[in-house]
Structure formats: structure tokens, C-alpha cells
Amino acid sequence: MAATIEKELEEAKTKWQQTQQELDKTKSELHDVREELERSQSQLDEVLGELEQTHFELHQLKEKGEQQQSESNGEVEQELEETKSKLQETEQLLEQSQSQLGETMGVLEEYQSQMEKTTGTLEESQEKLQQKQEELEQVKAELAQKQSGSELELKKELQETKSQLYETKEELDRTYSQLDQVMGELEESQFQLYQIKEKGEVKHSEIDPKVSTEFEETKKQLHQTQEQLKKSNATVDRLTMKLANARGQLEGIGSDLEKIKAVYTAHVTKHLIHILLPTIQSESLDAKPHLKGSINQRKRIAQVAEYCIKGWSGDLIEIGCFRGETSKLLAEVAQKYDRRLIALDPWELGTQNCKGGEYETFLKNIEPYKDVVDIIRLSSLDEKAIALVKNRELCFAFVDGLHTYDACLKDIETVAHCQGIIAVDDLLWCADVERAFQKGAEIIQRSKLNFPLCREGYLVPSC
């Protein structure tokens, strides 16, 4: 059921993303229509201004015609005709502008209607998503309760079975030892009888009664041992079957645990989407490739880090700090919750985007929070730096180091022990980083979450 719900959740998220893209496209087209409307309005204002000027000139000409009618009646009439002609042209232009304005208003109303419809679809998708998340929460609770009771009962039963199996094995060993002893005595008795018969030293009636009695007792003891061995074998078979059943139940619990992991991942993803949506909606696809999804990125990163601090133990880490604009926000969050920020960057002249002065700017930015910042001025690929990071408990990691496939993948592996969310920057414009993000998710077995309007991607943990 959890797998089905998770599939429906993925479909709902896909539908929401498509709706969001359609809404962004509609907003862009609406913006273009509004600009066109403003241009038409400006053109209309110009036409109206010209019309007023023409009316004013016509009024002046009429006054002038009344004063100088006797002297230049012919010239006034000619100028009046020209003015009337110009006025007619202006009125035609005005009618065209009004017609164009009417068409533009119709297009605008159509886009507004489409936008309202798209917004309604988006709200409906969000309601469905919320409903699926509630169903997932319920499934998670049921699975957790079932797994807890079944696991304890099965462990107890498995322990008892192991104990019985151990006791049966000891008993079987003792039986085999007794059997070996009896078999030895039997062989010795048979050998003695064989010697007696071969030599013919005595008749059958003269055989030592003690030897015959011992032989009969040995045969009887051998029979009892064989019966005991059969019972032991039956017990071993029964315990073996019981152990196989226990293993089958353990596999079932493993399957339930996988379902719980899926539900847990969906739970974390739901909260992550809730954090990301408000900031993503104001992003733009029209920006330059390396600036897409950057308007509210630092705010997003800080909010995700705060969510991780509330949910998991450990500190924050940023690989690739540059001038410290994001570091400052992460350090503020760390200080608020009495955690620490690990800032890992070589700040070495000539490395990626480092032209000098970046480290000094970084120190200036984190000055108010320097007491909670642990600076590691080494490459994230340095073995010493890797050892230092792996020795720290982490609840959130932001990977923004060297933008090559191997380096980014190595950084992801370095922070793989992070209990919370791992954010990886610049997926939108760097193909090597995007490939490392995909491969890293596969290696450290995490779910992926990234949006077309979100510059970074997120690796979501399972329980």
C-alpha cells in the first residue's frame, strides 16, 4: 500500500510541477500582454494629445478667419480643409487604437481566466498531495506498530529456538559419544567371540556367562542409543524447520522495514517541498543559466538547515564557502540552536573562482557568528579534511565545492553519514555536478528531489 501511495505521490508531484511550469508560462505571457497594453495606452494618449492640439489649431484658425476674412479668405479655407483632413486621419487612427485596445483587453481577460483556472488546478493538486501525505503518515504508524510487536516476538522466539538447538546439539554430541563407546565395546566383544569360536577352546555351553551377559547388555544399550539418536534427529529436523520459518518471518520484517523507509522518506520529502515551494514560486526561467534559481536560494538553504537541526542531532557543514554569503545564514541558524558550522574551503588563489580577497570577505561576513564556526582551510579532497569531516556528527550538508564529476561525487561520499538532508548546488547549469548528484544518490542510497526552478538538488535520507 505504501508503494502505491508513494507512486501516487510522485504522480501528484509531477502534475504539480507541470502545472507550476504552465502557471509560470502564463504569468510570462500575461506580463507581455500587459506591456503591450501599456504601449497601446501610451500610443492612445499620444493620439489624444494630437487631437487636442488639432482642435486647438482649428479654433485658432477659425478666430483668425473671422478677423482676416476679407484679406485671406481663400488661404484660410485651404488651411481649414487641410486641418479637417488631418482631423479625419487622426480620428481614424484613434478608432484603430481603440479597436486594438479592445482586442488587447480581450486577450488580457482570456489570460486572466486561464491563470485563475491554472491556480485552481494547482490548489487542487496541493490538496491531493496533502491527502496522500496524511495516508502515508497513517500507513507509517500502522507499519511501525506492527513491526515493533512482530520483531520483539520473533526475536524472543528465535532466541528460544537457538537455545533449544544448542541443547539438542549438545545432547546429540553426548549420544554420538555414547554410541562410539558402545560400538567400541561391541566390536571388542565380537572380536572375543570370534577368537573363541576360531580356536574351539571351549564349547558353546562353556562360554563365560559374564561375556554373554555383557554382550547382551551391549546389544540392548546399542538399541537404546539408536532409538535416542532417531529422536535427536527428529528434534533437529523440527528445530531446523522452525529456524527456517523464523528466517522467513525475519525476511518479512525486512520487507516491512523497507516500506517504513519509503514512508519515512516521503514524510521528509513532504516537509522539504513545503519549505521549498514559497521560495521557488518567485524564481524565473528567463534568467541567465548560472543565475537560474538563485533569487531565494540562500534563504532556502538556511530554512532547510533549520528543519534538519530540529529533526536530527549533529552540526552543519558547507563545502565550498567562497565569500561566506551562505555561510553567514547557516552560522546564524547554528548559533540559534547551539550547534556548530563546519566551513570547508581551501581559499587558494587560482582555484575555482578564487581571485584573491575571498577569505578576508568570508571572515568579515561570519564575524558575528565566529564562535560557532569551525574553519577547515583545506581542499575537500584532502585526506586529512575528509577524516576530520567523517569524525563529526552531521544533520545537514551543503555541497558547493569543485564543480567536476569526480570532485563533487567525492564530496557527496564524504558527507554520506549525514543524518539529515544533503543539498548539492548548481545542478541547473553544470552537467558534471548533475551527473555526480544522480550517481551519488545511487551510491549512498538516497531519494532525489530537485525542481526546474531550483538551482540546487536535495538528497533525502531514509530511516
Side-chain angles (χ1 to χ4, degrees):
M1 180 179 178
T4 304
I5 294 176
E6 184 178 7
K7 182 178 179 181
E8 293 178 358
L9 178 60
E10 290 296 330
E11 293 176 353
K13 289 198 297 187
T14 302
K15 184 178 180 181
W16 182 90
Q17 291 176 1
Q18 293 173 349
T19 305
Q20 185 66 34
Q21 292 175 358
E22 183 181 351
L23 179 60
D24 292 336
K25 182 179 179 182
T26 303
K27 286 182 179 179
S28 176
E29 294 176 351
L30 181 60
H31 178 71
D32 294 339
V33 170
R34 285 176 175 170
E35 289 185 347
E36 184 179 353
L37 179 60
E38 290 175 357
R39 289 193 297 269
S40 299
Q41 187 66 43
S42 176
Q43 186 178 3
L44 180 60
D45 292 340
E46 292 177 1
V47 170
L48 290 174
E50 292 179 1
L51 181 60
E52 291 177 359
Q53 180 67 26
T54 302
H55 280 297
F56 178 72
E57 292 176 357
L58 179 59
H59 179 70
Q60 287 183 327
L61 287 174
K62 286 181 178 180
E63 289 181 349
K64 185 178 179 182
E66 292 174 357
Q67 294 173 0
Q68 300 178 357
Q69 184 175 4
S70 57
E71 299 175 0
S72 55
N73 189 52
E75 294 179 1
V76 170
E77 290 180 355
Q78 182 180 357
E79 188 172 356
L80 182 59
E81 289 298 327
E82 292 176 356
T83 302
K84 287 182 178 179
S85 176
K86 185 176 181 181
L87 178 59
Q88 290 177 353
E89 293 176 358
T90 303
E91 288 175 347
Q92 291 176 357
L93 182 60
L94 177 59
E95 290 177 357
Q96 292 176 359
S97 298
Q98 287 177 338
S99 175
Q100 185 177 5
L101 178 60
E103 293 176 359
T104 304
M105 288 299 294
V107 173
L108 179 59
E109 290 175 358
E110 181 181 350
Y111 275 115
Q112 285 177 335
S113 175
Q114 185 177 358
M115 184 176 177
E116 290 174 358
K117 182 179 179 182
T118 304
T119 303
T121 303
L122 178 60
E123 291 175 353
E124 181 181 351
S125 299
Q126 288 177 332
E127 290 177 359
K128 289 183 179 179
L129 182 63
Q130 181 65 29
Q131 183 180 359
K132 296 300 180 185
Q133 292 297 343
E134 291 175 357
E135 292 178 6
L136 280 173
E137 289 291 340
Q138 185 178 357
V139 172
K140 177 186 175 183
E142 292 175 356
L143 286 175
Q145 183 178 3
K146 179 180 177 183
Q147 184 269 338
S148 177
S150 300
E151 186 175 7
L152 291 175
E153 182 180 348
L154 186 59
K155 283 184 178 179
K156 182 179 179 181
E157 185 177 355
L158 185 60
Q159 189 63 35
E160 292 176 356
T161 303
K162 287 182 178 178
S163 177
Q164 293 177 9
L165 188 61
Y166 179 74
E167 293 174 358
T168 304
K169 183 180 178 183
E170 289 184 339
E171 184 179 351
L172 191 61
D173 290 339
R174 287 195 299 270
T175 303
Y176 276 125
S177 177
Q178 293 175 2
L179 181 61
D180 290 340
Q181 183 179 354
V182 171
M183 289 297 294
E185 294 175 356
L186 181 60
E187 289 176 357
E188 184 178 352
S189 299
Q190 287 178 336
F191 178 71
Q192 290 176 358
L193 282 175
Y194 176 77
Q195 285 182 329
I196 292 172
K197 288 180 179 180
E198 283 290 322
K199 292 180 179 180
E201 294 179 353
V202 293
K203 295 181 180 179
H204 180 71
S205 59
E206 296 176 350
I207 295 176
D208 188 354
K210 183 179 179 181
V211 174
S212 297
T213 302
E214 186 178 350
F215 179 69
E216 291 299 326
E217 289 179 354
T218 302
K219 287 174 64 178
K220 184 178 180 181
Q221 190 175 2
L222 177 60
H223 179 72
Q224 291 175 349
T225 303
Q226 287 176 338
E227 290 297 323
Q228 190 175 3
L229 181 60
K230 289 180 180 179
K231 292 180 181 179
S232 299
N233 287 334
T235 303
V236 170
D237 291 339
R238 186 176 67 255
L239 292 175
T240 301
M241 184 176 296
K242 195 172 183 180
L243 185 60
N245 291 335
R247 286 175 178 170
Q249 292 179 12
L250 279 176
E251 290 177 358
I253 288 179
S255 177
D256 288 342
L257 283 174
E258 290 299 321
K259 293 177 182 178
I260 291 175
K261 286 181 179 180
V263 173
Y264 177 84
T265 301
H267 173 75
V268 176
T269 302
K270 179 194 77 170
H271 288 282
L272 183 56
I273 291 174
H274 181 72
I275 294 171
L276 300 179
L277 282 182
T279 61
I280 292 176
Q281 290 175 349
S282 58
E283 299 288 355
S284 174
L285 285 173
D286 296 330
K288 295 180 179 179
H290 66 284
L291 295 177
K292 285 182 180 179
S294 301
I295 297 176
N296 293 301
Q297 186 197 33
R298 295 192 183 101
K299 180 180 178 182
R300 279 197 302 273
I301 294 297
Q303 289 176 343
V304 174
E306 185 170 9
Y307 166 72
C308 290
I309 280 182
K310 292 178 179 178
W312 295 278
S313 59
D315 296 320
L316 314 177
I317 183 171
E318 181 182 15
I319 298 180
C321 306
F322 201 43
R323 296 192 179 94
E325 286 88 351
T326 305
S327 308
K328 175 175 61 177
L329 299 179
L330 292 176
E332 182 180 1
V333 173
Q335 186 183 71
K336 179 180 178 181
Y337 293 93
D338 195 24
R339 304 286 181 91
R340 302 194 67 79
L341 169 65
I342 303 168
L344 175 57
D345 195 307
W347 287 287
E348 184 178 343
L349 192 65
T351 56
Q352 183 172 277
N353 297 330
C354 198
K355 300 178 181 179
E358 289 81 9
Y359 182 61
E360 290 73 17
T361 304
F362 168 82
L363 293 177
K364 183 178 179 182
N365 278 326
I366 66 161
E367 175 64 26
Y369 316 103
K370 62 182 180 180
D371 292 339
V372 299
V373 179
D374 298 328
I375 300 174
I376 302 178
R377 195 170 182 181
L378 293 170
S379 167
S380 61
L381 307 179
D382 188 286
E383 291 299 327
K384 182 179 179 181
I386 293 174
L388 289 172
V389 172
K390 288 189 174 181
N391 197 39
R392 296 286 292 269
E393 186 180 16
L394 304 175
C395 68
F396 173 75
F398 182 38
V399 176
D400 189 20
L402 193 61
H403 284 25
T404 66
Y405 174 78
D406 291 335
C408 184
L409 183 59
K410 185 67 175 178
D411 288 343
I412 292 173
E413 292 175 337
T414 298
V415 297
H417 64 291
C418 175
Q419 301 178 77
I421 296 168
I422 300 173
V424 181
D425 198 14
D426 296 330
L427 267 64
L428 281 184
W429 64 270
C430 184
D432 284 342
V433 170
E434 200 275 336
R435 286 198 304 118
F437 174 78
Q438 299 292 338
K439 186 64 176 179
E442 177 184 340
I443 291 175
I444 67 175
Q445 296 183 345
R446 293 200 176 206
S447 297
K448 308 181 291 278
L449 179 65
N450 62 303
F451 294 97
L453 287 173
C454 194
R455 176 172 174 171
E456 71 283 356
Y458 296 90
L459 299 176
V460 182
S462 60
C463 57

